[in-house]
Amino acid sequence: MKKIQNIKALPGFAELNPGDQITFNNFKKIIAETYEKYGFIPLDTPTIEREEILFAKTGGDTAQEVYKIKKGDNDLALRFDLTVPLARYVAANYSEINFPFRRYQIEKVFRGERSQKGRFREFYQCDIDIIGDGGLDLKNDAEIPSVIYSVLSKLNIGPFVIKINNRKILTGFIDSFGFSDRATEVLRIVDKKAKITQEEMVNQLAEIGLNQNQIASLYELITLSGSNQAILEKLEALKIENQEFLQGIDELKQVISFIDLFNIPKDYYQIDISISRGLDYYTGTVYETYSVDYPEFGSICSGGRYENLAEFYTSKKLPGVGISIGLTRLFYQMKEAKLINGDAKTSSEVLILPLVQDLTEVVKLANNLRRSNIKTEIYLEDQNMKKKMNYANKIGVQYVLLMGEDEIKSGKLSLKNMRNGEQVSLTEKELVSLLKSLRLKKL
Amino acid sequence: MKKIQNIKALPGFAELNPGDQITFNNFKKIIAETYEKYGFIPLDTPTIEREEILFAKTGGDTAQEVYKIKKGDNDLALRFDLTVPLARYVAANYSEINFPFRRYQIEKVFRGERSQKGRFREFYQCDIDIIGDGGLDLKNDAEIPSVIYSVLSKLNIGPFVIKINNRKILTGFIDSFGFSDRATEVLRIVDKKAKITQEEMVNQLAEIGLNQNQIASLYELITLSGSNQAILEKLEALKIENQEFLQGIDELKQVISFIDLFNIPKDYYQIDISISRGLDYYTGTVYETYSVDYPEFGSICSGGRYENLAEFYTSKKLPGVGISIGLTRLFYQMKEAKLINGDAKTSSEVLILPLVQDLTEVVKLANNLRRSNIKTEIYLEDQNMKKKMNYANKIGVQYVLLMGEDEIKSGKLSLKNMRNGEQVSLTEKELVSLLKSLRLKKL
């Protein structure tokens, strides 16, 4: 039979080996459990949406990055984020939703971008949003960094900083120049601060029409440094009489003072006035999160406050605040930085290697272990000892139970620790205790 | 702004409310954990595959049921099952895989079928497969029903029966008529046994050329009844000297005798010679599983043994055995049968309602509870008591903590059980113990 030659996963599409997948799934689990610890509830929307829904905001601008689907008369496409499906869901189910609606969603999204290193065409987003009906207290903006801190401190990425800003400070400042019509362009340039030189930024701002004084004062604004308290004082000292600007300072002040209650170590969050988020739907608080040791990862968790989630689908005013972790990308970056070793190629806590033909006692033992919630694998192939041990070595299981005539007769099990070669003889009860105590140590 | 009118999820696409989603996710978790308890490791392949891969076997026959994707020069489509991606994965990563390869995959698949009740266009499949390199011991076929039993007995669907057969018995029997060229057609008709009358089956078998004697003996075969032992004896008593038929009996005998070791209650598995699985890639053991109280659900877990998983992608011979649970469909059937109530609309174990303006102590308590792994939600909106209690009622949380001046001053917390209205005063430590003990009760 003729074989198909091209059998790799499509370029730009993640496909982990099972060892890495175990770690990845563990990340997903940690994230979901942490989100739930803050009262977020799960949502799982269809992968496919109507184009009309997906392009409501952009009018089809992003169409070339979208995977379109041919099917009958409907114009369909794969979702490119989890925010649009959330907006549609909330609009469609408004009357049944309890507000504030705290939902999390951990699912794949799709972007048909040019394939390049560190960019994925299919990737997991791990989102939370809190949606209010008509209004949403600013305290929610302060709880979000606490969630970020809880999640990321469990993912073994080392120290990180949650950078916080309020976009009203930037947009108010731009407005004070009389440039509010070009605010989006200014913000897009400011957003590139980490990636371009000061000179490049100055040139780009000049190109869209800012004069030298304006550029200088904007640059001063976005590079304000010091403690959070110091930055807030410097902002006020600027004495800019723009309503939006002042409101931004006030909101940021409230958010920062409330964050302080949440027990996040001081090093882990700071005001950074240059954080603007390129996307234009944020209207207040914005967040980006950077690894201290690996700033090249870029922002590993971003988000912010928006005024109206679902304006294209409902006339209800639905303000919200949320964040997203691009987990697939983060995982690959961590893998490359050797923060993930992928040693574990199995979830099995113990592998039973039968050395007898009659497996009655072997299966009985496996039944008991599984009933005690021990992940137990039996090697069922009729192979020689060398092949059996070879399999045990390759899957990287820590404990192997050798079940021969002696063990079955005596009721004493032979447990081999594959990490150090040690072999001990113990009862079934002792075995269960040992494996469970190991599990507690790993927690 | 003009609003988009059609904001419902696409027809045929499941979209659960968060309450049901909590239950659904719990099902997914139970299934994954049970699969892992038998040594299966996770795989997560791209949602999108090349058409060439997807249609390798069918040559495009199923194309109309597939969601095709327009993107550049590539002919892409959404996967319609998890078996084809597994075959591609194993072929592409053959040299790195440890065989027998026990993988599980719980993900969405897509079928553009005509929308009808109980049929989904996007749905979760929960698959396990054990793939051998060159060969795979028959004992694996016997362990599979033990996995099915473990999973389904945790899903609250009541009693069920795993029906087991070996397709060689049917194909050998058909071959003994000299009809092996029409075996697939015969099996498709046999497969409909539960859905059509005896007369219809007789007519359909006559149409494809079987004579009355052949039909009568085939019908006798597929309706053999009695204990597993009795059926095996009746099969042997037929004295049919067909190699394949005899091999089928021998395999079935071995599988059944080995299943007996796995501690599955006798009522939960039985030989049924009419089980053939319409799909033609099974070559040995086949399984279907039926609810005793809800036979109308159809088979809730099916699968079988196949000779060669990936013949279109590699010349390596890779036999395997596997099963699949169509979880989305099962969930909706259970929901309709009122086996799922969907009462829980939150995962939060406790909701804190602040009755003070300064939230310092409220947040401190929440921090502590979350550190003790208690799922804790704070109501952060500045609303009156009625609105706060209303929210608590609506989300269906069992426990509410009222945090007013008195509670903060005394350090004694007021915990209200929303199910029975009881209110108790207790310390933080007592609260943690109480909530954790409740959790143990639910296990």
Side-chain angles (χ1 to χ4, degrees):
Chain A
M1 189 183 291
K2 209 176 149 252
K3 309 297 173 197
I4 293 171
Q5 295 304 311
N6 193 356
I7 56 175
K8 290 226 170 74
L10 286 163
F13 287 72
E15 186 167 77
L16 298 170
N17 64 50
D20 284 333
Q21 193 66 50
I22 289 169
T23 309
F24 189 90
N25 288 3
N26 197 31
F27 277 23
K28 278 204 293 180
K29 194 178 154 200
I30 288 169
I31 295 171
E33 284 178 358
T34 308
Y35 287 168
E36 286 186 4
K37 217 183 269 183
Y38 284 79
F40 291 89
I41 48 179
L43 192 66
D44 181 341
T45 62
T47 311
I48 304 175
E49 296 276 357
R50 292 181 192 87
E51 284 193 359
E52 185 188 26
I53 296 289
L54 293 176
F55 303 151
K57 186 177 160 197
T58 59
D61 265 2
T62 56
Q64 57 186 355
E65 292 194 355
V66 167
Y67 286 101
K68 295 189 171 205
I69 288 174
K70 293 185 266 186
K71 197 82 201 170
D73 298 334
N74 287 314
D75 291 321
L76 307 175
L78 301 183
R79 63 176 166 222
F80 51 80
D81 72 7
L82 301 176
T83 307
V84 171
L86 171 65
R88 179 193 52 69
Y89 178 86
V90 174
N93 298 279
Y94 172 81
S95 59
E96 281 132 55
I97 290 172
N98 306 312
F99 293 97
F101 180 44
R102 300 179 151 236
R103 88 85 178 77
Y104 76 89
Q105 187 164 5
I106 299 178
E107 280 195 288
K108 288 174 172 178
V109 303
F110 302 82
R111 294 188 194 166
E113 299 180 71
R114 200 166 57 82
S115 181
Q116 53 178 307
K117 196 166 175 294
R119 286 291 204 185
F120 290 90
R121 288 167 167 169
E122 172 180 296
F123 55 97
Y124 277 93
Q125 280 196 334
C126 310
D127 282 21
I128 50 172
D129 286 88
I130 310 171
I131 312 297
D133 183 13
L136 184 74
D137 202 283
L138 206 57
K139 293 193 197 77
N140 292 282
D141 300 37
E143 196 185 36
I144 293 281
S146 168
V147 184
I148 300 177
Y149 173 73
S150 292
V151 169
L152 294 183
S153 56
K154 291 193 191 91
L155 294 190
N156 190 36
I157 55 169
F160 54 88
V161 181
I162 306 165
K163 298 190 171 186
I164 303 167
N165 192 16
N166 189 300
R167 254 175 73 158
K168 292 193 179 84
I169 295 174
L170 285 166
T171 50
F173 194 82
I174 296 164
D175 184 44
S176 74
F177 297 162
F179 267 81
S180 47
D181 56 328
R182 265 160 289 174
T184 309
E185 289 158 272
V186 176
L187 291 181
R188 289 224 168 118
I189 296 167
V190 169
D191 196 45
K192 290 189 273 185
K193 179 171 160 272
K195 291 170 199 151
I196 60 178
T197 64
Q198 183 176 352
E199 199 189 334
E200 285 170 326
M201 183 178 287
V202 168
N203 290 341
Q204 291 183 18
L205 288 170
E207 264 169 41
I208 62 167
L210 270 69
N211 68 33
Q212 282 204 318
N213 279 346
Q214 291 166 334
I215 292 173
S217 64
L218 179 62
Y219 198 80
E220 194 195 334
L221 178 76
I222 64 173
T223 52
L224 282 180
S225 63
S227 70
N228 291 334
Q229 204 44 49
I231 293 177
L232 287 168
E233 279 162 19
K234 286 178 192 173
L235 282 170
E236 282 176 335
L238 290 175
K239 298 273 178 221
I240 292 168
E241 290 304 320
N242 177 288
Q243 205 46 48
E244 200 177 348
F245 181 81
L246 294 173
Q247 199 191 331
I249 295 175
D250 184 53
E251 288 182 10
L252 187 57
K253 213 194 257 179
Q254 285 186 56
V255 168
I256 291 292
S257 90
F258 197 60
I259 292 178
D260 288 344
L261 302 180
F262 273 98
N263 245 350
I264 310 175
K266 287 280 176 199
D267 291 352
Y268 280 75
Y269 66 104
Q270 72 184 32
I271 296 177
D272 183 334
I273 307 297
S274 74
I275 300 300
S276 75
R277 302 300 302 145
L279 290 160
D280 53 10
Y281 70 92
Y282 295 117
T283 52
T285 312
V286 282
Y287 319 93
E288 289 189 356
T289 313
Y290 292 87
S291 157
V292 172
D293 299 333
Y294 305 93
E296 67 273 20
F297 285 5
S299 178
I300 52 186
C301 178
S302 316
R305 156 79 71 150
Y306 38 88
E307 233 151 51
N308 204 351
L309 173 71
E311 56 182 332
F312 301 98
Y313 318 118
T314 175
S315 52
K316 302 283 175 192
K317 200 188 166 211
L318 303 166
V321 60
I323 48 157
S324 182
I325 299 172
L327 187 61
T328 303
R329 186 171 171 215
L330 177 61
F331 186 88
Y332 275 81
Q333 288 171 323
M334 289 177 68
K335 178 100 185 139
E336 205 168 81
K338 309 223 184 302
L339 294 170
I340 291 165
N341 59 36
D343 281 351
K345 291 179 184 67
T346 182
S347 305
S348 300
E349 291 168 279
V350 65
L351 171 71
I352 307 181
L353 299 186
L355 310 176
V356 288
Q357 281 301 315
D358 176 357
L359 298 192
T360 308
E361 294 303 317
V362 170
V363 173
K364 198 187 278 179
L365 175 66
N367 288 340
N368 291 345
L369 294 177
R370 286 168 183 157
R371 213 173 297 119
S372 301
N373 280 318
I374 306 286
K375 292 174 183 167
T376 307
E377 183 174 348
I378 315 175
Y379 186 88
L380 290 171
E381 305 311 294
D382 197 8
Q383 297 284 1
N384 60 33
M385 190 60 192
K386 200 185 151 197
K387 280 224 171 175
K388 285 175 183 172
M389 285 306 287
N390 201 16
Y391 176 77
N393 270 315
K394 275 186 172 170
I395 67 167
V397 68
Q398 184 169 3
Y399 285 103
V400 164
L401 269 180
L402 301 160
M403 288 283 279
E405 296 293 351
D406 289 354
E407 284 78 10
I408 289 168
K409 262 187 216 144
S410 68
K412 279 289 217 175
L413 304 168
S414 294
L415 184 73
K416 186 170 176 144
N417 183 334
M418 301 294 284
R419 305 267 157 91
N420 59 19
E422 270 175 30
Q423 196 160 325
V424 291
S425 181
L426 74 192
T427 65
E428 190 180 314
K429 211 177 146 188
E430 288 164 346
L431 172 69
V432 171
S433 307
L434 174 71
L435 294 175
K436 289 208 166 168
S437 70
L438 284 169
R439 208 187 285 169
L440 285 172
K441 267 189 215 157
K442 278 181 197 160
L443 282 181
Chain B
M1 188 182 293
K2 209 177 150 250
K3 310 296 172 198
I4 294 172
Q5 295 303 312
N6 193 356
I7 56 174
K8 289 229 171 74
L10 287 163
F13 287 72
E15 187 167 76
L16 297 170
N17 65 49
D20 284 333
Q21 193 67 49
I22 289 169
T23 309
F24 189 90
N25 288 2
N26 197 30
F27 277 23
K28 279 206 290 180
K29 194 178 154 201
I30 289 169
I31 295 171
E33 284 177 358
T34 309
Y35 286 168
E36 287 187 4
K37 217 183 269 183
Y38 284 79
F40 291 90
I41 50 180
L43 192 66
D44 181 340
T45 62
T47 312
I48 305 176
E49 297 275 356
R50 293 183 191 86
E51 285 194 0
E52 186 188 25
I53 297 287
L54 293 176
F55 302 152
K57 185 175 161 198
T58 58
D61 265 1
T62 56
Q64 58 186 352
E65 291 193 355
V66 167
Y67 286 101
K68 295 188 172 206
I69 288 175
K70 292 185 267 185
K71 198 81 201 170
D73 297 334
N74 286 314
D75 291 323
L76 308 174
L78 301 183
R79 62 174 168 224
F80 51 79
D81 72 7
L82 301 176
T83 308
V84 171
L86 171 66
R88 179 191 55 67
Y89 178 85
V90 174
N93 298 279
Y94 172 80
S95 58
E96 282 133 53
I97 290 173
N98 306 312
F99 293 96
F101 180 44
R102 298 179 153 237
R103 89 85 178 77
Y104 76 88
Q105 189 165 2
I106 298 177
E107 281 194 286
K108 288 174 172 177
V109 302
F110 301 83
R111 295 188 193 165
E113 300 180 70
R114 200 166 56 82
S115 181
Q116 53 178 307
K117 194 165 176 294
R119 286 291 203 182
F120 291 90
R121 289 167 166 170
E122 172 181 294
F123 56 97
Y124 277 94
Q125 281 196 333
C126 310
D127 282 22
I128 50 171
D129 286 89
I130 311 171
I131 312 297
D133 182 12
L136 183 74
D137 203 283
L138 205 58
K139 293 192 197 77
N140 292 284
D141 299 36
E143 197 185 37
I144 293 281
S146 168
V147 184
I148 300 175
Y149 173 73
S150 291
V151 169
L152 295 183
S153 56
K154 292 192 190 91
L155 295 189
N156 191 35
I157 55 170
F160 53 89
V161 181
I162 306 165
K163 298 192 172 186
I164 302 168
N165 192 16
N166 189 301
R167 252 174 77 157
K168 292 192 179 84
I169 294 172
L170 285 167
T171 51
F173 193 83
I174 295 165
D175 183 46
S176 76
F177 295 163
F179 267 82
S180 47
D181 56 327
R182 265 160 289 175
T184 310
E185 289 159 88
V186 177
L187 290 181
R188 288 224 169 117
I189 296 166
V190 169
D191 196 44
K192 290 188 273 185
K193 179 171 161 269
K195 292 169 200 154
I196 59 179
T197 63
Q198 181 175 353
E199 198 188 334
E200 284 169 326
M201 183 178 287
V202 168
N203 289 341
Q204 292 183 16
L205 288 170
E207 264 169 42
I208 62 167
L210 271 69
N211 67 35
Q212 282 206 317
N213 279 345
Q214 291 166 334
I215 292 172
S217 64
L218 179 62
Y219 198 81
E220 193 194 337
L221 178 77
I222 64 173
T223 51
L224 283 180
S225 62
S227 69
N228 291 336
Q229 204 45 47
I231 293 178
L232 287 168
E233 279 162 20
K234 286 178 191 172
L235 283 170
E236 282 176 334
L238 290 175
K239 298 274 178 219
I240 292 168
E241 290 304 320
N242 177 286
Q243 205 46 48
E244 200 177 346
F245 180 81
L246 294 173
Q247 198 190 331
I249 296 176
D250 184 53
E251 288 182 11
L252 186 57
K253 213 193 258 179
Q254 285 186 55
V255 169
I256 290 293
S257 90
F258 197 60
I259 292 178
D260 288 345
L261 302 180
F262 274 98
N263 247 349
I264 310 175
K266 288 278 175 199
D267 290 352
Y268 280 75
Y269 66 104
Q270 73 185 32
I271 296 175
D272 184 334
I273 307 296
S274 74
I275 300 299
S276 75
R277 303 299 302 145
L279 289 159
D280 53 9
Y281 70 91
Y282 296 116
T283 51
T285 312
V286 282
Y287 319 94
E288 290 189 354
T289 313
Y290 292 86
S291 156
V292 172
D293 298 334
Y294 305 93
E296 66 273 21
F297 285 5
S299 177
I300 53 186
C301 178
S302 316
R305 155 78 72 149
Y306 38 88
E307 234 151 50
N308 204 351
L309 173 71
E311 57 181 332
F312 301 99
Y313 318 119
T314 175
S315 51
K316 303 283 175 191
K317 202 191 165 208
L318 303 166
V321 60
I323 48 157
S324 183
I325 299 172
L327 187 60
T328 302
R329 186 171 171 214
L330 177 61
F331 185 88
Y332 274 82
Q333 287 172 324
M334 287 176 70
K335 178 101 183 136
E336 204 168 80
K338 308 224 185 305
L339 294 170
I340 292 165
N341 59 36
D343 281 350
K345 291 178 184 68
T346 182
S347 306
S348 300
E349 291 168 280
V350 64
L351 171 71
I352 306 181
L353 298 186
L355 310 176
V356 287
Q357 281 300 315
D358 176 357
L359 298 193
T360 309
E361 294 303 317
V362 170
V363 173
K364 197 187 276 178
L365 175 66
N367 288 339
N368 291 346
L369 294 177
R370 286 168 183 157
R371 213 174 296 119
S372 302
N373 282 317
I374 305 286
K375 291 175 182 165
T376 307
E377 183 174 347
I378 314 175
Y379 186 87
L380 290 172
E381 305 311 295
D382 197 9
Q383 297 283 2
N384 61 32
M385 191 60 192
K386 199 184 153 200
K387 279 224 171 176
K388 286 175 182 170
M389 286 306 287
N390 202 14
Y391 176 78
N393 269 316
K394 274 188 175 170
I395 67 167
V397 68
Q398 184 169 3
Y399 285 103
V400 164
L401 269 179
L402 301 160
M403 288 283 279
E405 295 294 352
D406 289 353
E407 284 79 10
I408 288 168
K409 262 189 216 145
S410 68
K412 278 288 217 177
L413 305 168
S414 294
L415 185 74
K416 186 169 176 146
N417 183 335
M418 301 294 283
R419 306 267 157 90
N420 59 21
E422 272 175 28
Q423 195 160 327
V424 291
S425 180
L426 74 191
T427 65
E428 191 180 314
K429 211 177 145 188
E430 288 164 344
L431 172 68
V432 171
S433 307
L434 173 71
L435 294 174
K436 289 206 168 171
S437 71
L438 283 169
R439 208 186 284 169
L440 285 172
K441 265 189 216 156
K442 278 182 196 160
L443 283 181

